[in-house]
Amino acid sequence: MPLYKLEEFDPNYRETFGGDDIKSLNLYTEGGTEVGAVADALVDQNGRFRYLVIDTSLDSVGKKILLPIGLAHINYPAGRVYVDGLSKQQVEHLPEYQDNTIVDQEFEEMVRSIYRSTLGAVSYELESYDYEQEPTLYGLNEQSHQTLRLYEERLVANKHRVKTGEVALGKHIETDTARVTVPITKERVVIDRIQLPEIGTVVDPNEIKFEEGEVAHIDVYQETPEIHKEAFVREEVRVRKVVDRDIVEAQDTIRREELDIDTSGNLNVKGNSVEVHE
């Protein structure tokens, strides 16, 4: 099962724990001797704590080790984590943890074997190992790890697209009767016969030259209209969509749980912004 650093699994883990930061706590023995500080925490894919990364300062030994969560007792009000019987010898034999260390099954088994030396030698199948098999190492003591979740409601705004209509463009043909006027010309021949004053006058036969056949030729023309149809671009239509933006405001009544603490007797109760009733 893969393990994740706390901030990798939940970047907002401080908000999840109500502002408490386990990485700011120091590690003490049950006798009150400081033996190191919590540098990080490793959680499984379900978000369950499995190890605390401890930066040890035990005598002359100083290195980062993994501490199974079941051996730790977290006290947030006191700002401390207590551990049962972490010895210098154990720290020396524990494999060193670094930020780039791959915590696989073999590495975890090396860690567990060191702690089992004081708990009693027990062997497990590595391939089928489950954290629930060793509650001493991974079980959360309810007395020392009580967790009370306070819930609150929040308004969450989402958006989804809804089809409100559609526009379809098409073309159809309309017919109309068009008229056009074309001026044309026509040629015609006009023959004028003129009465000359010499009519009836005797003409010298030697001057007369009688002719037969065509003596003049005139071509006659007229214009004929040619009418045909041609297509022209009348108009261009462009279709596009524009987005209009608006802000919709909504309000509702939301609920939030607040913590009330009732005490009796002479107790030293510490809390962070907690209302205390006596």
Side-chain angles (χ1 to χ4, degrees):
M1 180 180 294
L3 297 178
Y4 307 90
K5 294 180 181 179
L6 184 56
E7 196 161 4
E8 291 177 349
F9 183 84
D10 183 5
N12 301 316
Y13 73 92
R14 296 176 183 85
E15 298 180 9
T16 304
F17 292 103
D20 292 326
D21 189 358
I22 194 171
K23 293 195 287 186
S24 64
L25 305 182
N26 292 328
L27 182 70
Y28 291 82
T29 64
E30 292 293 343
T33 302
E34 184 175 353
V35 293
V38 179
D40 209 333
L42 300 183
V43 300
D44 62 18
Q45 60 187 6
N46 297 317
R48 296 186 179 91
F49 279 83
R50 294 308 180 189
Y51 297 97
L52 296 180
V53 179
I54 305 300
D55 193 354
T56 61
S57 58
L58 192 61
D59 295 336
S60 60
V61 180
K63 65 179 181 180
K64 288 184 179 180
I65 62 170
L66 296 185
L67 177 67
I69 191 64
L71 301 179
H73 308 284
I74 303 172
N75 190 329
Y76 282 114
R80 293 184 175 187
V81 177
Y82 293 96
V83 59
D84 292 332
L86 181 62
S87 65
K88 177 182 177 181
Q89 184 180 10
Q90 285 179 316
V91 174
E92 290 175 344
H93 289 85
L94 281 167
E96 183 174 5
Y97 173 85
Q98 298 179 354
D99 291 338
N100 59 352
T101 299
I102 299 177
V103 182
D104 53 15
Q105 290 183 342
E106 288 75 13
F107 189 91
E108 286 190 83
E109 188 60 28
M110 291 172 58
V111 172
R112 286 191 286 262
S113 64
I114 301 300
Y115 291 106
R116 288 182 188 137
S117 62
T118 59
L119 300 175
V122 181
S123 60
Y124 297 93
E125 292 293 333
L126 189 60
E127 293 74 11
S128 60
Y129 183 83
D130 189 284
Y131 293 113
E132 306 302 325
Q133 294 175 331
E134 291 189 275
T136 305
L137 294 180
Y138 300 105
L140 293 180
N141 186 296
E142 294 300 327
Q143 187 68 24
S144 302
H145 300 88
Q146 285 189 359
T147 301
L148 178 62
R149 295 184 178 180
L150 304 179
Y151 295 91
E152 68 177 8
E153 295 176 328
R154 298 180 182 178
L155 290 181
V156 179
N158 293 315
K159 298 185 296 183
H160 64 279
R161 291 166 59 91
V162 179
K163 182 178 179 180
T164 57
E166 64 180 27
V167 176
L169 300 182
K171 296 193 297 184
H172 70 280
I173 299 175
E174 293 184 356
T175 59
D176 198 359
T177 301
R179 291 180 174 82
V180 64
T181 301
V182 181
I184 62 174
T185 60
K186 295 181 180 181
E187 296 178 346
R188 57 191 178 90
V189 178
V190 179
I191 300 175
D192 295 324
R193 292 189 174 189
I194 302 174
Q195 299 293 328
L196 298 176
E198 293 86 359
I199 293 177
T201 303
V202 178
V203 179
D204 185 357
N206 295 324
E207 296 179 358
I208 299 175
K209 187 178 180 180
F210 289 94
E211 296 178 359
E212 291 185 359
E214 182 179 324
V215 295
H217 181 87
I218 300 175
D219 292 329
V220 179
Y221 295 92
Q222 77 171 26
E223 295 177 335
T224 301
E226 295 181 1
I227 299 175
H228 65 280
K229 295 186 291 185
E230 293 183 359
F232 299 87
V233 176
R234 181 175 67 89
E235 185 180 8
E236 183 178 83
V237 178
R238 295 182 179 179
V239 181
R240 60 191 178 94
K241 293 194 299 183
V242 297
V243 178
D244 295 328
R245 302 188 181 279
D246 197 1
I247 297 178
V248 178
E249 183 176 349
Q251 65 178 24
D252 200 351
T253 301
I254 61 176
R255 300 171 297 172
R256 181 178 60 200
E257 295 179 343
E258 294 290 348
L259 181 65
D260 294 328
I261 300 177
D262 295 323
T263 65
S264 62
N266 186 16
L267 296 178
N268 183 15
V269 179
K270 296 182 180 180
N272 184 12
S273 300
V274 174
E275 181 183 356
V276 178
H277 301 280
E278 298 202 6

